[in-house]
Amino acid sequence: MFSESMFSVDAGYLEGLARGFKGGILKKTDYYNLTQCETLEDLKLHLQSTDYGHFLANEAGPLTVSVIEERLKEKLIIEFNHLRTQATGYLAEFMDYITYSYMIDNVVLLLSGILHDRPIKEMLAKCHPMGTFEQMEAIHIATTTRELYDAVLVDTPLAPYFADCINEEDLNEMNIEIIRNTLYKAYLEDFSAFCQQIGGTTAEVMQEVLAFEADRRAFMITINSFGTELLKEDRKKLYPACGRLYPGGLEMLAQAEEVEQVKLVADYFAEYRVMFEDDGTGMDKTLEDKFFEHEVRLNVRAFMQQFHYGVFYSLVKLKEQEIRNIVWIAECVSQRHRAKIEAYIPILE
Amino acid sequence: MGDLFRSQEMTLCQLFLQAEAAYACVSELGELGLVQFRDLKPDTNAFQRKFVNEIRRCDEMERKLRYLEKEIRKDGIPILDTGDNPEAPNPREMVDLEATLEKLENELREVNAYAESLKKNFLELTELKHILRKTQTFFEEALHDQHMTEEAVGLMTEEGMMAGGQAAGLRLQSVAGVILRERLPAFERMLWRVCRGNVFLKQAEIDTALEDPATGDKVLKSVFIIFFQGEQLKTRVKKICEGFRATLYPCPDSQAERREMAISVMTRIEDLNTVLNTTVDHRMRVLMAAAKNLRLWFIKVGKIKAIYHTLNMFNVEATNKCLIAEAWCAVDDLDKIHLALRRGTERAGSSIPPILNRMSTREMPPTYFRVNKLTSGFQSIIDAYGVASYREANPSPFAIVTFPFLFAVMYGDFGHGTLMFLAALWMVLREKQLAPTAKLSEIWATFFNGRYIILMMGAFSIYTGLIYNDCFSRSVNIFGSGWSVRGQFNQSLTPDQIRTQVRGIESLQLNPNDAQAKAWRANPYPFGLDPVWQVSGNKITFTNSIKMKTSVVLGVIHMLFGVFVSLTNHLHRRDMLSVVGEFVPQVLFLLGMFGYLVILILYKWAVYSGRNSNCAPNLLIGLINMFLFRYDKATNGCPPIYTGYQGLQTFLVLLIIPCAPWMLLVKPLILRRRQQMLARGGAMMGHQQPQPQMQPDAGVDGGDQTELGMGQQQDGGNNIHDGDKAVDMGAGYGDHGEEVDIGEVFVHQAIHTIEYCLSCISNTASYLRLWALSLAHAQLSEVLWGMVLAIGLKREGFGGCLALFVAFSFWALLTVVVLLLMEGLSAFLHALRLHWVEFMNKFYKGEGYKFEPFSFARAELEM
């Protein structure tokens, strides 16, 4: 039985830390200043005056975007691991769940790397450090999904999610996408169930965030599947069944054959309708960006409530968005491509 | 005292610095640490400022220095700290410094890269050595083990065959390598899964930790050897090895070859060792040389960076020839600043001296107190409440005495006070040695920084402890008690006999009115409390009465003093309206009510004694009745407290009551009237009429502007401009006649009045904490004595020795932890509250901000 009154005994300190880290998230004015930068050195100078402090101070030689990204990720990892090592009980498990999604991404990334005969070292460098696991580097011995499961994934927490996509087929592009989506579906459903098991405010907050995540995936899978040889029945199997679209919306999505039909489905849900509408401001935001914006809103909202684990999830997601923003701005700055520099997604006012 | 009572008179200065001399001038000012620069471009981004490239260069140098420091620390070389403080180098020297650091860094990186490759080589050879050694034992074990497993049998025969050089149809292949020990289990598991159990793995731990060449960390590794069959398995095994970052080494199959290889490996290791040693020596020499200068370099670079940061806050004049700065500084320091500027100009070799103008401004200047080691502690107590408004009366000079005193009233114990005093004295006497340790722990730093406060608190506690006659809750009989039991016994008995008789008696009455017993010898104890109270049954009743009344007396005096400090504030501002409209009714209110009570308390102590104590009036009831105009007729045959008291008390009440509306209305009404008159007068005379009496001030400001005698023409415009400002400010400051919202004034005054009237009563009650805490402290120490130490003291014989030893150690520990630390902290907090709330709300606004001069010394402390 989870009780809010006992929350602070184990997680109070960590929640405080998490909220402190959230306080360091860049504000609107920071972004405004960042977009004014002429060079990456300027960017570094401005970031020094924020919570990032001297995270780039010990870099010798000219700055590159990839170095910045690496350091940003490193900082996130340090903060996350600081919290993770002190977490106990449900919270520890909860934080492990957060890392699983990165593991899935890494597995898929490595698999597609193998498929294109890229050297494993190069691929490893691209993996998200949050989702590393011990067997990861040996992934290239797998040629079929069964081997992948038997040799690599069986010892990882991803193993149960993988049970649905074991077959003897050779790996190919389509296969990998299916693996990714199957894993994600299983992961989201499992995570959602776990949050319900914790109960209380955590369940409430996470339900909302994860439901959105599930629905977003369902939409994206549908839209991306148009024009591919993916069968409708197979596609339906990939929809995570823990969102607000479940079950009626998913049924309709499964039948969709073009974008207009997807739009019709979204019309039934107030918050998704606006995503597909042209907002008329002339800013041609992509659907993906709109989804990101909504995600940020949900995650910021998670901080409005106290005594729940959702803040840890939201912190990671917000920080990740922030990293994407900074990297975007840095790319624009370094490539002197200023027209699109405003296309970041603001997080806090 | 004068310096501490009111903050330094500050002035805003405008500095015109020649572009080439600006650096040297700011450097001199940084050494001086008396000027607070204002950021003239607060809206500009950090990277859009003028000297951003210089700052970047400094950052780069700092990065190199940090790299050097890291390497030096890694090798455990001590960094020389001579304690001298180099001046900020010239911009020209900065280039040299940059070059030196660049060279050093490159050299070090080269050496490190070389050493790393050598070490990597070394590591590989060592690993190979271990592999050869361990595999040898694998094979030998296999040969000697009588209970061989199936695989092992196969192996042995294979091994035998191979050793014999015979080709067999069924050949087992092997791969040997080294892997991190913690990755071994997962490695083994995956190997088994992927090869479906068709491989045989044997592993052994390497006992000594090996050094990772990249990071220099010690890592534990294991040797493994895998036997398998067929090419397909071989690729798989190799892939897994690669995946787990195991390093594979060739391992010859025959024993003779292995031995040969081992020998060659050993010789190569030896060779490598000598090369490695010379490299390490070289690195050591480079680092040693760097360690000597490292601290100086750090300071120099820090100073350069600070100077450029400051320069970034300046405005650049249109012609780019000079920089314009604005800064706050104390009027008294102007001469020193001039001197520093001149030195800076000389250092830079510039011919044109810098110009320093005083400017007038409406902005509130920062608050700057010159503090020393003793006063800084007390000042920080006051600052914690709120930094004093500019030129406002500062409570800290009074707090130096009143704070420890009020603390001591609550803490009064001679013994505890002495311990506290000695502890603080130790910190004070050894402050030079102890100062560096204060950085290590926050808790310790709190005590250390408050050492002078603790010293004073200890000294005052000794004093009050003597008055309370308490030493670890025992009384000391120095002068001989004024009371005696002798009269109640047969006069012929010797003192010893009386003593034995007294022991048998449960209780004795000492009645001062009993003329026959002569219990009271009529010679009061000359200092403090008579020790006889220590053993009396009504000790608590007696001390409570005394301490309670003392608290009220002290509290009223303290508050009254606070009100009088507010008078100095009014007089300082020449604000007669506030004197009449606020100060006078406040004093009357406080004196009429609680001043009278204090006089009654003192009167009661003086007039009533043992003989007429039954007639002593109850003061609290009396005070309440005074406000109800209720005077009882029934006096039980006692005389009134003094003749005519009813008349005086009625007069006082009638005096107090009008004070409240007086405080509330007089000041705002007069202000409104003044404003109306001014508006009418202004309409007649035109709006631009400055207050005549303020003009001399403005004139002084204007006169100061050309102190250095240069740049007259360019200042002309400024002069007039500033003159205007000064007049404006004067008008606003001299009276409150300028556009003030009268409604706001009324509301403000109403709040102020209500607060004052209510707080007079509640604050007086609040001072009773002096009594309560004192009682608590005395009781706690008495309990500790009675329950712990007394038990040890009562036993006799050898057991008694042991019991006393145990009891004393407990007692001493509890005394330090509970009575000294915990109780001390509690009394400290209550004294703090009495100052912050009860004392300071009578006069203190605390709306200022601190003067934070640009100073190298300060920057270094923060580093």
Side-chain angles (χ1 to χ4, degrees), chain B residues 13 28 156 172 242 324 339 382 436 476 501 533 570 679 751:
Chain B
C13 295
E28 287 292 335
M156 197 198 73
L172 275 181
E242 195 188 332
I324 304 166
L339 264 175
I382 304 299
V476 189
Q501 282 200 6
W533 290 103
H570 297 323
I751 294 169

Side-chain angles (χ1 to χ4, degrees), chain A residues 180-226:
Chain A
R180 179 211 294 277
N181 286 311
T182 321
L183 282 177
Y184 243 106
K185 170 186 155 72
Y187 159 69
L188 281 176
E189 285 166 5
D190 187 30
F191 195 5
S192 180
F194 173 70
C195 291
Q196 293 306 320
Q197 187 196 337
I198 296 174
T201 323
T202 307
E204 227 171 87
V205 171
M206 289 307 293
Q207 166 61 28
E208 205 172 345
V209 180
L210 291 177
F212 169 71
E213 182 69 30
D215 293 344
R216 171 164 75 176
R217 296 203 76 83
F219 279 124
M220 295 319 278
I221 290 168
T222 316
I223 293 173
N224 290 336
S225 73
F226 296 146

Side-chain angles (χ1 to χ4, degrees), chain B residues 421-437:
Chain B
F421 181 80
L422 290 177
L425 194 67
W426 170 73
M427 284 193 276
V428 168
L429 291 179
R430 295 185 61 93
E431 63 187 2
K432 281 236 171 63
Q433 293 97 308
L434 291 174
T437 61

Side-chain angles (χ1 to χ4, degrees), chain B residues 182-196:
Chain B
E182 66 264 23
R183 305 198 70 169
L184 192 68
F187 176 66
E188 224 171 315
R189 202 158 40 212
M190 183 179 260
L191 208 59
W192 194 82
R193 283 206 179 108
V194 170
C195 308
R196 303 214 168 74

Side-chain angles (χ1 to χ4, degrees), chain B residues 757-769:
Chain B
C757 294
L758 291 182
S759 72
C760 266
I761 298 162
S762 64
N763 290 355
T764 310
S766 183
Y767 275 97
L768 289 177
R769 74 184 67 234

